Amino acid sequence: MNGAVGLARRASLTMFFAVAVVLALRLSAPANAAGNHTDSLAARVIVLANSDDPDSLRIARHYAAARGVPAANLIALKLPHGETITWREFVAVLWQPLIEQLVRERWIDAIPMALTDPVGRKKYAVHGHRIAALVVCRGVPLKIAHDPALSAPALPFTNRAEFRTNASAVDAELSLLPAPNYNINAFVPNPLFQNDRPGDVVRHIVQVGRLDGPSAADALELVDRAIAAERSGLLGRAYVDLSDRDPVGNEWLEAVARQLHDLGFEPAVDRDPGTTPSTARFDAPVLYFGWYSGNLDGPFALPGFQFPPGAIALHIHSYSAGTLRSTTSGWTGPFVARGVTATVGNVHEPYLQFTHRPNLLLRALARGATLGEAAYYSLNALSWQAVLVGDPLYRPFAVSLEAQMAKRAQLPPLLAGYAVLRRMRELDEAGRADEATALAIRSQREIPNLAVGFAVATRLHEAGNVEAAGNALGFVALLKSFSTDEWALAAEAARLLAACKRATRAVEVWRTLLALERVPRELRLSWLREAEAAAKSARDIAQAGRWAREIAELTAPLEKK
């Protein structure tokens, strides 16, 4: 995001905000009452699919059934199959048919006019709409290519060369269905941005979320994971990858770290250069915010890596959603393929200031907003490059920690311990550390959990009770497998066991890890070196010798042909 960094440092946003205020005032002109406010959100959701794509229709119907959206709210249009569409195609096969149907069925309160704008869109006098959200399904094109023939000034923005384009995200244009006939060049300031009291403004912006990903199965899972997480609440750890790329973005991520701390997640914050390494602890990443690399790497690239249900992950990255059909290119599609429930991305270069702001997104979600509401609260530009991937009705914080603890036995067993960790953090903050430790020990008796066991052992070891720490962690040696996200935590457990003079048990943990298939060479090599040392400490000379020979094989130079 070189352009993003440059713009963040030099662009003056004074004019931007002035124009945004003017637009917000224009859009919030008195509107007719739109719909019955007692209706559920689901009753006011429109689901858009490609009628020429069976998978698109299947996703739309699945979402409608899962969320209780009336079948009549499903709109299917015959659309091109590619991710990129031209402006002429977009207007002819998507925009115009869609707005005509929405007006005809009184989703948008508007009077059609005989005139058309320079793009070919019919003009309307719009008074408001009653759409809670527009859900766009895989099969609907993702982005619109720049059309030089449609270039026109959009002052003051096109005074800058960066904004002399009409390339954009399809969803970002559909957000403005109730405010048609805007200039498609550059962007339109979003009046919902950081707007705590939007009032009638919401009747002139449609919140759009996309169910999309590398496969139809991935898109379907976005729905199921959101609903599952709303039942159990968020369960997992929080991570912030703050690699000092740019002062503006760093400020956002530092704010995220503070917010996560206040929410009781005790975030793991990585301030080293580059993205999080594959060797870092990365178990149950239910909340992740960070800077980008060009493509998938780090823990995310490990074989079998999966996010826990409900996970929200965001990278500050220009072309993160240039395609959603790849499991390795960019970040948005790969995140979805690996089980994320909600994420955002950009189809073209947005420039840093015009991406979703992670601190604002988290702020809105934490106070109970839907994913759609939070996404539009955190984004200051429409008719631009951003897309929201996930169910816009998703409320990740629908279940409180108190409710999770009260029904801990009903939570997913492998994740229930993460609610205990949050509760321990609350007790620690209140100066009740002994109660926190007692809770963890009691929890381990009821539902053993690797993360909780490691937390208990760490607390006991730091308190100088080495024997008790070793006992608390001894069960790890009995585990016969670890999920990919647990690899680094299991390795930390092995190290702590060795520090507690339980080298034999540490060796057992290393054996389990090294028996895993498809472990990347560099990661395996780092494990082998530590495992060999543990085996020597345990006086298991035979095992130490076997691991030493494997190290030699992995480090031997390739024979010259």
Side-chain angles (χ1 to χ4, degrees), residues 16-17 20 169 171-173 175 187-195 205-206 208 252 344-346 350-361 364 371-388:
F16 169 84
F17 285 112
D171 301 4
E173 303 299 336
S175 297
F187 57 86
V188 173
N190 176 16
L192 296 178
F193 173 64
Q194 215 166 348
N195 188 340
I205 302 295
V206 172
V208 183
W252 297 346
V344 296
N346 301 284
Y351 302 100
L352 181 60
Q353 292 284 7
F354 306 102
T355 62
H356 287 91
R357 301 194 183 182
N359 55 322
L360 298 182
L361 182 78
L371 178 63
E373 291 166 343
Y376 281 74
Y377 181 80
S378 62
L379 180 69
N380 57 14
L382 303 176
S383 183
W384 197 231
Q385 314 305 342
V387 292
L388 166 66

Side-chain angles (χ1 to χ4, degrees), residues 447-529:
I447 310 174
N449 176 274
L450 178 58
V452 175
F454 181 76
V456 173
T458 300
R459 294 163 81 95
L460 293 171
H461 187 263
E462 290 175 350
N465 196 339
V466 175
E467 184 176 357
N471 291 339
L473 207 54
F475 77 100
V476 182
L478 304 176
L479 300 177
K480 299 305 179 185
S481 65
F482 302 105
S483 60
T484 303
D485 66 293
E486 291 179 322
W487 289 359
L489 177 56
E492 289 201 24
R495 296 178 193 114
L496 185 52
L497 281 167
C500 293
K501 301 180 181 179
R502 304 293 175 92
T504 300
R505 289 188 177 273
V507 168
E508 290 304 315
V509 177
W510 287 121
R511 278 200 184 105
T512 301
L513 283 170
L514 289 165
L516 294 167
E517 298 179 357
R518 299 189 302 155
V519 176
R521 177 185 175 279
E522 290 304 318
L523 181 57
R524 184 175 187 83
L525 190 56
S526 69
W527 286 354
L528 280 166
R529 287 168 174 150

Side-chain angles (χ1 to χ4, degrees), residues 2-224:
N2 295 332
V5 172
L7 186 62
R9 291 175 175 166
R10 68 180 183 268
S12 169
L13 296 181
T14 304
M15 182 62 72
F16 169 84
F17 285 112
V19 173
V21 169
V22 171
L23 179 70
L25 291 173
R26 176 175 66 82
L27 290 180
S28 60
N32 295 337
N36 186 345
H37 293 293
T38 62
D39 290 348
S40 68
L41 286 178
R44 296 187 292 112
V45 168
I46 299 295
V47 184
L48 178 63
N50 185 344
S51 65
D52 202 34
D53 184 338
D55 283 337
S56 186
L57 292 170
R58 182 159 59 100
I59 294 163
R61 290 168 184 147
H62 178 74
Y63 179 80
R67 279 297 188 191
V69 176
N73 294 14
L74 195 160
I75 297 176
L77 303 174
K78 187 173 182 179
L79 302 168
H81 283 250
E83 287 189 289
T84 303
I85 194 171
T86 68
W87 265 106
R88 302 296 183 186
E89 289 175 311
F90 173 73
V91 171
V93 302
L94 207 172
W95 175 279
Q96 202 58 54
L98 179 58
I99 194 171
E100 286 176 1
Q101 184 166 344
L102 294 174
V103 171
R104 184 170 60 252
E105 296 178 1
R106 302 191 66 78
W107 287 102
I108 295 178
D109 184 7
I111 300 172
M113 303 169 69
L115 303 174
T116 58
D117 70 6
V119 189
R121 298 173 296 184
K122 183 183 291 186
K123 290 191 174 185
Y124 289 86
V126 179
H127 300 283
H129 74 91
R130 58 187 182 95
I131 303 169
L134 173 61
V135 177
V136 175
C137 299
R138 187 179 191 272
V140 175
L142 172 68
K143 56 187 179 179
I144 307 173
H146 174 66
D147 187 341
L150 297 176
S151 293
L155 301 176
F157 310 118
T158 49
N159 285 334
R160 304 190 65 92
E162 299 95 326
F163 301 129
R164 292 173 197 153
T165 180
N166 48 53
S168 65
V170 164
D171 301 4
E173 303 299 336
L174 296 180
S175 297
L176 293 166
L177 279 164
N181 314 126
Y182 55 89
N183 190 332
I184 66 169
N185 293 278
F187 57 86
V188 173
N190 176 16
L192 296 178
F193 173 64
Q194 215 166 348
N195 188 340
D196 294 307
R197 296 184 178 181
D200 286 336
V201 172
V202 296
R203 298 181 186 176
H204 295 270
I205 302 295
V206 172
Q207 296 170 8
V208 183
R210 175 173 285 263
L211 302 176
D212 206 339
S215 72
D218 293 326
L220 290 166
E221 283 295 315
L222 287 169
V223 182
D224 299 338

Side-chain angles (χ1 to χ4, degrees), residues 239-245 247-260 269 271 288-291 314 316 358-359:
Y239 300 83
V240 179
D241 189 357
L242 200 160
S243 53
D244 197 24
R245 299 286 185 90
V248 173
N250 289 344
E251 183 179 339
W252 297 346
L253 293 175
E254 290 284 9
V256 165
R258 293 191 295 270
Q259 290 169 287
L260 291 169
V269 182
R271 290 186 170 84
Y288 170 83
F289 302 86
W291 280 104
L314 179 159
I316 302 175
N359 55 322

